[in-house]
Amino acid sequence: MKKISALVLVAVCVLSFSFAPSEEVGSNQVIETIMSRRSIRKYKSTPVERAKLELIAKCGINAPSGMNAQPWAVRIVDNKDHIDAVTEVFKGTNPHIGKDPSFQNMFRNAPAVIFIATPKNGSGQIEAGLMGENMILAAESLGLGTCCLGGPIHFLKNDKGAEPFVKLLDIPENYELLYAIGVGYPDEKPEPRPRDASKVKFID
């Protein structure tokens, strides 16, 4: 699997500094959403409403892209049977996973998963990162939690047993999976991790 470019990770991961918004920010809902968002790795079993998933996807595809090329393919899976089936394949390859009593599926137990694919030639990754950020912030604003996932994609692209599931996703022939986003109702509230504000500099 090709490594996801650093630019994509920068676009996908929320970079909130380790200080509180200033008084100038006030009650700006967008900034509050960015600052409060955390990666969620424990989810309730409650299904995510299709209307919310559709809205999240709509926010995603409204991300900017060069020349409006929209070089992405988005696939959403909220069918528990599909997720459980590919998870069984994953458990067969990783038998130790099944010994964890909290383990339910290979996507951090999320009840819905958004898969993002981009052209095999490596283009579109920056745009896909911007799209993913739109999605995770939209999900946060709707009371949902998310987690960006790379490990499951490596498995799906390299394990023969996972081929039926990948085929089910109906990815365009000249595209390949880049990353996924687990989506669900949070069953945890992680504390914020410190951010290194020294990495940001103004150049006069």
Side-chain angles (χ1 to χ4, degrees), residues 67-109:
M67 304 297 290
N68 195 33
Q70 304 176 52
W72 49 57
V74 181
R75 301 293 183 264
I76 304 172
V77 179
D78 61 352
N79 185 310
K80 188 176 184 299
D81 291 339
H82 293 329
I83 292 174
D84 288 349
V86 72
T87 294
E88 286 303 311
V89 177
F90 179 76
K91 287 165 63 176
T93 306
N94 303 274
H96 64 285
I97 294 294
K99 297 178 181 179
D100 180 356
S102 66
F103 180 84
Q104 297 177 37
N105 71 53
M106 61 184 287
F107 304 106
R108 292 288 184 179
N109 297 345

Side-chain angles (χ1 to χ4, degrees), residues 7-104:
L7 286 173
V8 171
L9 290 178
V10 167
V12 172
C13 298
V14 178
L15 301 179
S16 51
F17 300 147
S18 56
F19 51 73
S22 65
E23 292 182 4
E24 288 80 2
V25 171
S27 58
N28 185 300
Q29 188 59 57
V30 174
I31 293 179
E32 287 182 5
T33 299
I34 292 172
M35 292 298 191
S36 63
R37 189 265 166 188
R38 306 281 178 264
S39 293
I40 300 298
R41 295 176 175 84
K42 293 182 181 179
Y43 296 90
K44 297 177 181 178
S45 59
T46 308
V48 180
E49 299 88 339
R50 276 282 177 98
K52 288 188 176 182
L53 291 171
E54 289 172 356
L55 181 54
I56 290 168
K58 186 174 182 179
C59 289
I61 62 175
N62 271 276
S65 64
M67 304 297 290
N68 195 33
Q70 304 176 52
W72 49 57
V74 181
R75 301 293 183 264
I76 304 172
V77 179
D78 61 352
N79 185 310
K80 188 176 184 299
D81 291 339
H82 293 329
I83 292 174
D84 288 349
V86 72
T87 294
E88 286 303 311
V89 177
F90 179 76
K91 287 165 63 176
T93 306
N94 303 274
H96 64 285
I97 294 294
K99 297 178 181 179
D100 180 356
S102 66
F103 180 84
Q104 297 177 37

Side-chain angles (χ1 to χ4, degrees), residues 124-187:
Q125 293 189 358
I126 294 176
E127 286 92 339
L130 295 170
M131 178 178 66
E133 182 74 346
N134 272 19
M135 288 181 173
I136 64 176
L137 292 179
E140 177 73 18
S141 74
L142 295 172
L144 295 163
T146 56
C147 187
C148 295
L149 305 168
I153 298 303
H154 177 78
F155 174 80
L156 293 176
K157 292 172 67 174
N158 292 281
D159 191 283
K160 288 288 185 180
E163 287 181 356
F165 182 81
V166 176
K167 185 176 181 180
L168 178 72
L169 296 179
D170 191 28
I171 301 298
E173 186 176 355
N174 60 333
Y175 277 54
E176 64 181 353
L177 291 170
L178 183 64
Y179 69 99
I181 302 173
V183 185
Y185 285 95
D187 199 21

